């Protein structure tokens, strides 16, 4: 069996051996005739005549030494490949079309696999859970005090919380900013990480009274060269020297981007239980399921609320797998992109199926001959299916190049806050995926044309027209989706943002969360005065963040002096922002009524605040709020009254804010927030102003960590980078499908013109004008377009509802957008029909009829 299989797969060697054996037998018989007295020439002729017909003997010998079925398949595969080589245009078009479709699917599939399906790179990742907390339906972060309550649950073997910050370090080369992870509880144990060298933190050190630090494996290699004597080495920071206690193993890759791991400060560990800033993770004990842990958590929550009714009222929590929670925000855009590239692949398959149908129409004579000499339907299906297999095979190989290029492009442009994306690789799994998709495409592309080709009575033009109409419909859905995203992005950019970022320089600061509040206030005050000293400065101020970059702090309780509020209204969430009069002046946010608050001179100075219009509408209605006193403290705390001094317009806090949130603005001395922004409105060159502003900040504090320094316009524009990228990806795929539609319509119209050449010649001879002949071809293409546009338009309206959550603004409704996509599609079809229509119009009847 093995020998027959080998001879079947090696036909040249097998034929050579048969020829040698036949020649040997003929030569032996010729020698016998020579010995009987014949001449050599006559002996050779007689031997060949007596031996029998060589072709029949060769065929019998081959059948005895090979596997006939496998030999038939081999011959059909070789014949199909030779047939494709004689049609290089069809071959190149098919391979490139499939390479683009499969390559994009591999790239997006790799991203979806990493984000949604691949287990996290932690030991026993299915046992690693994360806490998801909310109060009164509003999502919030974890808290060290509440985490210690959760730690008493028996479902978890380890529990801890963490938050990130930047630390300033000093070295011989100057100040340097390092990323740090602050720990509350046993975070390392919860993740299940091991130490490469040294130890982790003791229970006493996790209380915050320590200068020990654990460094990442990457930081150890980069800064210490991987030396074994790193234990005990010191790292100089602004807050003091840190002593290295251990090095994490290389497997700690989930949050490997952080250089230093160290316990949170005691003040942070004892913040009020209403605060929320931690990400709390826990590891399940053996034999405990997530459902059991959630059941115990609900019992614990009830006890916590009963013990702390004022602080924990409205608190809700659940635990879920960390990988699912990390992927939650990326799920919808990832699945959308996957659906988009699958649509592109489907369009490519339909287009190639149409090309193969046209190819079969040209082979009608060959099909008839094969059927007449005994070929069955299955034989024809298998023969013509091989062409699709070859196209899919070469397309799949070429798609690996497209996939690698697409992966590099995705890694470079997708959000950097998804570190797992950097692990995307074109590995064996992706190659296997490409092979599987290629096989699937071979059947999708070739089965229908092959079945149609095997029928004695077939109408290939009608079948190809149906495929092109379906292709137009699928492309219409994708084009409509691209227009939905483009219009929503433009609608979001067209909404008033409430401030003017032009000619403004912004400097964003990032300080440790346990920074001294008085030092922060002195720093911000000095920076503001130094910025005003820059030549050309018009105004400067301090805030917590630029508008449009999202909210920083949210409060869930409000008191109005002398006005009782019901509990639901008092606990309604609003934005608690930091901004002074200079901040509003620099961003040209006008004062609608009242006055700007006076800068506090001492800690006991009266507290004044500014509110926006949405805040006034929610809590005061038509009543003038100026002079009214409000408190933002929690319900269980002594109220600290702030006097409303002024009202400003609504300013968009996010690109998703179609309805601005109610907001209050307080001076930075009345709110602790270690992340802030200084804004400078000045005339002059932007780069020179940035350099001058950096120098002023360095003069105030050489270790100040500046996260961003540059024009505010550039910083604000960056918030649209991710939705712009998503819109560009969907739009690019839509353009690709449009090009495939153009190719498909051109092909079907050209086939129609070729098939009706004699009819067109007779019509021209009878007096038909070139315009009427061109109209016949154009009407054929427009009928296809009308059917496809109707099909795609119907499917595009529910598609809008499926992607509604990813849109930034309402923009035009579904019907106008679908009509615009329909018009665009009709223009593409008209362009594709131009060539065949022009050829039909220029047809010479004399030449056509003489050729017929």
């Amino acid at each position: 069996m093995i020998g027959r299989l080998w001879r079947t797969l090696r036909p040249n060697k097998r034929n050579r051996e048969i020829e040698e054996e036949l020649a040997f037998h003929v030569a032996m018989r010729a020698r016998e005739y020579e010995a009987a007295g014949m001449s050599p020439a006559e002996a050779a002729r007689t031997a060949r005549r007596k031996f029998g017909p060589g072709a029949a003997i060769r065929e019998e010998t081959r059948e005895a030494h090979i596997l006939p079925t496998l030999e038939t398949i081999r011959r059909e595969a070789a014949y199909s490949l030779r047939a494709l080589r004689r049609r290089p245009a069809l071959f190149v078009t098919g391979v490139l079309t499939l390479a683009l479709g499969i390559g994009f699917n591999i790239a997006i599939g790799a991203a979806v696999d990493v984000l949604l399906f691949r287990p996290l790179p932690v030991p026993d990742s299915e046992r690693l859970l994360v806490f998801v907390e909310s109060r009164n339906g509003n999502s919030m972060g974890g808290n060290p005090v509440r985490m210690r309550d959760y730690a008493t649950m028996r479902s978890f073997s380890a529990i801890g919380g963490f938050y990130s910050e930047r630390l300033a370090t000093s070295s011989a080369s100057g100040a340097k900013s390092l990323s740090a992870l602050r720990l509350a509880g046993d975070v390392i144990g919860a993740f299940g990480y091991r130490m490469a060298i040294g130890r982790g933190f003791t229970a006493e050190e996790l209380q915050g009274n320590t200068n020990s630090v654990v460094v990442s494996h990457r930081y150890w290699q980069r800064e210490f060269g991987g030396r074994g004597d790193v234990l005990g080495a010191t790292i100089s920071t602004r807050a003091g020297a840190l002593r290295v206690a251990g090095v994490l193993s290389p497997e700690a890759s989930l949050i490997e981007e952080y250089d230093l791991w160290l316990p949170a400060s005691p003040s942070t560990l004892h913040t009020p239980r209403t605060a929320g800033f931690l990400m709390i993770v826990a590891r399940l004990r053996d034999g405990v399921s997530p459902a059991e842990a959630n059941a115990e958590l609900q019992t614990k929550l009830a006890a916590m609320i009963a013990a702390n009714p004022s602080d924990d009222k409205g608190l809700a929590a659940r635990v879920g797998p960390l990988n699912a929670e990390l992927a939650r925000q990326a799920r919808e855009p990832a699945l959308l992109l996957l659906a988009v590239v699958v649509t592109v692949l489907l369009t490519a398959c339909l287009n190639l199926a149409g090309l193969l149908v046209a190819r079969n129409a040209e082979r009608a004579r060959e099909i008839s001959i094969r059927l007449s000499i005994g070929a069955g339907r299955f034989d024809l299906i298998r023969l013509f299916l091989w062409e699709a297999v070859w196209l899919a095979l070469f397309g799949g190989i070429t798609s690996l190049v497209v996939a690698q290029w697409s992966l590099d492009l995705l890694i470079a442009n997708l959000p950097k806050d998804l570190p797992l994306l950097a692990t995307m690789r074109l590995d064996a799994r992706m190659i296997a995926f490409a092979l599987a998709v290629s096989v699937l495409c071979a059947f999708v592309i070739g089965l229908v044309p092959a079945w149609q080709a095997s029928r004695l009575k077939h109408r290939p033009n009608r079948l190809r027209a149906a495929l092109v109409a379906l292709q137009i419909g699928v492309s219409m859905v994708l084009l409509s989706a691209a227009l939905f995203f483009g219009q929503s992005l433009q609608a979001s950019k067209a909404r008033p943002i409430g401030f003017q970022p032009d000619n403004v320089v912004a400097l964003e600061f990032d300080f440790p969360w346990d920074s001294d509040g008085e030092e922060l206030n002195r720093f911000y005050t000095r920076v503001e005065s130094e910025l005003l000293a820059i030549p050309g400065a018009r105004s400067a101020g301090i805030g917590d963040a630029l508008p449009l970059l999202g909210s920083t702090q949210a409060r869930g309780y409000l008191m109005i002096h002398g006005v009782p509020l019901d509990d639901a209204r008092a606990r309604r969430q609003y934005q608690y922002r930091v901004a002074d009069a200079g901040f509003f002046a620099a961003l040209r946010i006008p004062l609608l009524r009242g006055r700007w608050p006076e800068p506090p001179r001492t800690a006991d100075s009266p507290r004044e605040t500014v509110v926006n219009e949405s805040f006034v509408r929610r809590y005061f209605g038509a009543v003038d709020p100026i002079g009214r006193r409000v408190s933002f403290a929690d319900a269980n705390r002594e109220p600290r009254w702030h006097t409303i001094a002024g009202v400003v317009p609504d300013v968009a806090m996010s690109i998703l804010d179609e309805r601005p949130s109610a907001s209050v603005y307080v001076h930075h001395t009345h709110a602790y927030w270690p992340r802030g922004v200084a804004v400078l409105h000045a005339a002059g060159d932007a780069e020179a102003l940035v350099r001058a502003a950096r120098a002023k900040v360095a003069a105030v504090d050489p270790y100040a960590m500046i996260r961003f320094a540059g024009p505010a316009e550039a910083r604000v524009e960056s918030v649209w980078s991710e939705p712009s990228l998503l819109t560009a990806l969907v739009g690019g795929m839509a353009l690709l499908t449009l090009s495939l539609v153009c190719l498909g319509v051109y092909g079907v119209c050209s086939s129609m013109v070729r098939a009706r050449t004699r009819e067109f010649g007779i019509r021209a001879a009878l007096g038909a004008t070139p315009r009427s002949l061109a109209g016949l071809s154009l009407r054929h293409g427009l009928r296809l377009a009308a059917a496809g546009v109707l099909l795609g338009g119907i499917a595009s309206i529910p598609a809008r509802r499926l992607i509604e959550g990813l849109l930034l603004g309402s923009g035009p409704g579904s019907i106008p957008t679908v009509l615009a996509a329909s018009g665009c599609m009709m223009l593409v079809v008209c362009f594709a029909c131009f060539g065949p229509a022009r050829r039909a119009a220029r047809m010479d009847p004399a030449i056509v009829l003489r050729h017929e």
Side-chain angles (χ1 to χ4, degrees):
M1 177 64 71
I2 300 298
R4 297 179 70 183
L5 176 63
W6 183 254
R7 284 189 292 272
T8 302
L9 298 177
R10 296 286 301 274
N12 293 333
K13 183 179 180 181
R14 179 194 66 210
N15 293 336
R16 190 165 55 250
E17 291 174 351
I18 292 175
E19 292 296 335
E20 290 174 356
E21 186 174 353
L22 287 175
F24 171 76
H25 286 289
V26 171
M28 292 294 295
R29 185 163 295 187
R31 290 194 188 99
E32 293 177 2
Y33 291 147
E34 286 184 30
M38 290 185 182
S39 64
E42 184 180 1
R45 286 194 302 272
T46 304
R48 285 194 296 271
R49 187 176 66 255
K50 294 289 186 179
F51 195 78
I57 295 175
R58 291 186 186 93
E59 191 64 29
E60 291 177 1
T61 305
R62 274 196 294 268
E63 291 182 358
H65 290 81
I66 63 173
L67 299 174
T69 303
L70 184 60
E71 172 68 8
T72 302
I73 294 175
R74 188 198 64 78
R75 286 182 178 180
E76 290 173 348
Y79 175 81
S80 300
L81 183 59
R82 290 194 301 271
L84 284 176
R85 289 175 59 185
R86 290 193 293 269
R87 294 292 302 273
L90 173 66
F91 181 74
V92 172
T93 301
V95 168
L96 290 181
T97 301
L98 280 179
L100 292 173
I102 298 175
F104 290 144
N105 271 273
I106 294 174
I108 299 299
V112 173
D113 176 56
V114 167
L115 292 175
L116 305 184
F117 304 114
R118 186 182 298 179
L120 293 175
V122 297
D124 299 324
S125 61
E126 70 279 359
R127 294 173 53 202
L128 181 59
L129 305 183
V130 62
F131 280 75
V132 181
E133 295 181 293
S134 62
R135 178 177 279 114
N136 298 320
N138 299 311
S139 179
M140 62 182 297
N143 178 276
V145 182
R146 296 198 302 272
M147 185 199 71
R148 288 193 286 273
D149 290 338
Y150 298 143
T152 62
M153 296 171 57
R154 289 181 292 181
S155 297
F156 307 121
S157 61
I159 187 171
F162 58 89
Y163 62 91
S164 62
E165 64 182 22
R166 307 291 299 183
L167 289 180
T169 64
S170 60
S171 62
S173 58
K176 184 182 297 185
S177 176
L178 296 179
S179 59
L181 202 68
R182 289 282 193 172
L183 313 180
D186 189 11
V187 176
I188 296 178
F191 275 106
Y193 288 151
R194 297 179 296 105
M195 307 301 296
I197 298 178
R199 61 175 179 83
F201 299 108
T202 65
E204 182 179 355
E205 287 175 332
L206 287 174
Q207 299 303 314
N209 296 308
T210 180
N211 64 344
S212 297
V213 64
V214 170
V215 300
S216 69
H217 195 273
R218 184 188 63 178
Y219 180 80
W220 175 49
Q221 295 287 339
R222 186 181 73 231
E223 299 296 332
F224 294 95
R227 301 196 316 268
D229 60 350
V230 65
L231 301 181
T234 58
I235 302 173
S236 298
T237 70
R238 176 178 182 168
L242 300 175
R243 191 172 300 277
V244 178
V247 178
L248 282 168
S249 63
E251 68 183 9
S253 58
L254 177 61
I255 40 182
E256 174 69 14
E257 70 271 17
Y258 295 105
D259 300 312
L260 309 178
W261 293 41
L262 63 163
S265 66
S267 60
T268 304
L269 294 175
H270 295 87
T271 55
R273 64 185 300 121
T274 54
F277 56 92
L278 283 182
M279 185 174 188
I280 302 177
V281 293
R283 180 163 288 272
L284 281 175
R285 291 187 185 276
D286 292 336
V288 179
S289 68
E292 293 172 334
N294 266 308
E296 185 184 2
L297 175 60
Q298 302 314 310
T299 304
K300 172 60 69 174
L301 275 176
M304 291 167 55
I305 295 173
N308 305 277
S310 57
D311 289 337
D312 291 345
K313 185 175 182 179
L315 180 66
R318 62 177 177 84
V319 289
L322 179 60
N323 55 346
E325 297 301 329
L326 290 178
R328 186 176 298 275
Q329 293 183 350
R331 183 180 301 275
E332 288 189 358
L335 293 180
L336 169 70
L337 289 179
L338 185 61
V340 166
V341 294
V342 169
T343 302
V344 172
L345 182 59
L346 177 60
T347 307
C349 290
L350 290 173
N351 187 61
L352 282 184
L355 290 176
L356 290 180
V357 168
R359 164 86 169 137
N360 292 342
E362 298 172 3
R363 302 169 68 178
R365 185 170 180 271
E366 175 191 347
I367 294 172
S368 300
I369 293 175
R370 286 181 178 274
L371 290 173
S372 64
I373 61 177
R377 173 171 293 183
F378 181 74
D379 297 323
L380 289 179
I381 291 176
R382 189 177 62 243
L383 176 64
F384 294 124
L385 195 60
W386 266 111
E387 291 190 358
V389 170
W390 285 119
L391 289 173
L393 177 62
F394 285 104
I397 295 173
T398 312
S399 70
L400 298 178
V401 179
V402 178
Q404 185 60 61
W405 172 79
S406 303
L407 283 174
D408 295 339
L409 186 64
L410 284 174
I411 293 174
N413 291 280
L414 285 177
K416 299 300 184 290
D417 58 349
L418 295 172
L420 291 178
L421 288 178
T423 66
M424 293 189 301
R425 296 290 183 272
L426 193 61
D427 53 14
R429 295 169 65 248
M430 292 297 103
I431 295 176
F433 177 73
L435 179 62
V437 172
S438 299
V439 172
L440 178 62
C441 289
F443 282 96
V444 172
I445 293 170
L447 191 58
V448 173
W451 179 264
Q452 173 267 331
S454 67
R455 301 173 61 191
L456 287 173
K457 296 180 180 181
H458 58 273
R459 296 181 177 180
N461 288 335
R462 181 172 295 181
L463 176 60
R464 189 177 184 192
L467 291 173
V468 171
L470 183 59
Q471 181 182 353
I472 291 174
V474 172
S475 182
M476 258 287 296
V477 176
L478 190 52
L479 178 60
S480 299
L483 291 180
F484 289 145
F485 278 102
Q487 290 170 344
S488 71
L489 182 62
Q490 292 302 318
S492 176
K493 290 186 175 183
R495 285 199 299 264
I497 59 177
F499 67 100
Q500 302 177 40
D502 54 298
N503 298 322
V504 175
V505 170
L507 297 99
E508 295 179 351
F509 304 105
D510 196 348
F511 290 98
W513 286 89
D514 57 352
S515 299
D516 182 76
E518 293 297 329
E519 290 185 6
L520 284 178
N521 290 332
R522 287 193 292 269
F523 169 79
Y524 288 137
T525 302
R526 288 188 58 191
V527 165
E528 186 172 359
S529 62
E530 289 292 336
L531 292 179
L532 286 172
I534 295 177
R538 297 174 181 172
S539 55
I542 300 296
D544 55 352
L546 284 172
L548 281 185
L549 299 186
S551 60
T552 56
Q553 301 182 72
R555 293 294 177 94
Y557 194 79
L558 180 75
M559 296 176 63
I560 302 177
H561 191 271
V563 179
L565 296 176
D566 60 82
D567 191 67
R569 196 174 173 203
R571 293 184 181 275
R572 193 174 176 185
Q573 193 176 69
Y574 57 92
Q575 301 302 319
Y576 185 75
R577 307 302 299 261
V578 173
D580 57 14
F583 183 86
F584 292 110
L587 295 177
R588 277 92 81 196
I589 300 174
L591 182 69
L592 298 180
R593 65 180 104 165
R595 59 175 177 81
W596 296 118
E598 293 291 335
R601 301 182 183 278
T602 65
D604 298 329
S605 299
R607 295 171 178 260
E608 295 182 330
T609 185
V610 171
V611 299
N612 69 349
E613 292 179 287
S614 292
F615 187 90
V616 174
R617 284 193 298 268
R618 178 191 294 183
Y619 294 105
F620 294 98
V623 178
D624 186 6
I626 303 301
R628 305 299 295 269
R629 293 197 297 166
V630 294
S631 173
F632 316 120
D634 298 326
N636 61 332
R637 290 192 175 190
E638 187 70 23
R640 288 187 176 182
W641 299 107
H642 292 66
T643 302
I644 298 178
V647 178
V648 296
D650 291 333
V651 177
M653 299 298 173
S654 167
I655 56 176
L656 299 176
D657 280 349
E658 292 190 72
R659 295 180 179 179
S661 304
S663 303
V664 300
Y665 300 90
V666 300
H667 197 269
H668 62 81
T669 57
H670 296 153
Y672 179 80
W673 193 250
R675 292 180 176 176
V677 59
V679 290
L680 168 67
H681 178 214
D685 179 65
E687 293 185 6
L689 289 172
V690 171
R691 288 194 299 269
R694 278 185 172 275
K696 292 292 186 180
V697 172
V700 174
D701 185 351
Y703 292 103
M705 288 170 285
I706 301 177
R707 188 170 66 252
F708 170 83
E713 279 186 300
R715 187 70 177 97
V716 169
E717 189 65 28
S718 67
V719 302
W720 279 291
S721 60
E722 291 182 21
S724 296
L725 175 62
L726 182 61
T727 302
L729 287 174
V730 177
M733 296 298 103
L735 289 177
L736 179 58
T737 59
L738 281 180
S739 64
L740 294 176
V741 166
C742 188
L743 180 63
V745 173
Y746 176 84
V748 74
C749 290
S750 296
S751 297
M752 187 274 294
V753 171
R754 285 196 300 270
R756 299 174 64 180
T757 297
R758 185 170 183 272
E759 175 191 342
F760 283 179
I762 295 174
R763 286 177 179 269
L766 295 177
T769 63
R771 177 176 296 181
S772 64
L773 295 178
L776 288 174
S777 175
L778 186 60
R779 282 194 296 274
H780 183 70
L782 291 180
R783 281 195 297 270
L784 295 178
V789 164
L790 179 62
L791 179 66
I794 295 173
S796 296
I797 295 177
R800 166 74 182 251
R801 299 190 183 95
L802 293 177
I803 63 175
E804 196 76 40
L806 297 174
L807 301 178
L808 300 177
S810 56
S814 299
I815 301 300
T817 303
V818 171
L819 291 177
S822 302
C824 180
M825 185 63 69
M826 297 300 288
L827 289 176
V828 170
V829 171
C830 289
F831 176 77
C833 293
F834 176 77
R838 184 170 179 268
R839 188 161 56 249
R842 300 179 65 181
M843 203 167 286
D844 188 339
I847 297 177
V848 171
L849 296 178
R850 184 166 60 246
H851 174 74
E852 291 292 331

